[in-house]
Amino acid sequence: EAYENKLFAFNQTELTLTQIIEQALEQLNLTKRDLAKILGSNRVTELFSGKRDLSMAQVRMLHQQLRIPTDLLIFSKRT
């Protein structure tokens, strides 16, 4: 856990949900296309446009695949 906290440190200063996800993608050298494989392309578009929130299943997937702490995914600002 300490390794993950050091390696995948998120700048938590007033970041929105989409910024947190973008930061995780960048740290893992992934693209939005890779994210679309995880969530589905329509979901990524809706998420980044602010039209849809994450479901709990999507929170779990992003936590497992991108190593984003679940509390950041659930409680971060949406816009």
Side-chain angles (χ1 to χ4, degrees):
E1 186 176 328
Y3 169 79
E4 286 182 2
N5 288 339
K6 181 180 177 186
L7 186 61
F8 299 101
F10 292 94
N11 179 358
Q12 299 177 25
T13 57
E14 301 298 317
L15 292 180
T16 64
L17 176 62
T18 55
Q19 290 171 323
I20 290 169
I21 293 171
E22 287 173 338
Q23 194 175 56
L25 291 173
E26 183 179 319
Q27 289 179 2
L28 295 169
N29 294 319
L30 298 174
T31 64
K32 285 186 183 176
R33 186 172 281 167
D34 297 314
L35 182 61
K37 292 176 186 176
I38 297 169
L39 296 179
S41 60
N42 289 343
R43 297 292 184 239
V44 171
T45 302
E46 292 171 342
L47 175 66
F48 277 83
S49 68
K51 292 182 180 179
R52 183 177 292 264
D53 280 335
L54 293 172
S55 68
M56 288 309 293
Q58 291 168 330
V59 167
R60 281 191 290 277
M61 280 190 277
L62 290 175
H63 172 68
Q64 292 169 349
Q65 299 291 321
L66 302 182
R67 300 178 190 115
I68 302 173
T70 54
D71 60 326
L72 288 180
L73 294 168
I74 294 169
F75 299 115
S76 62
K77 295 187 303 182
R78 297 298 188 232
T79 55

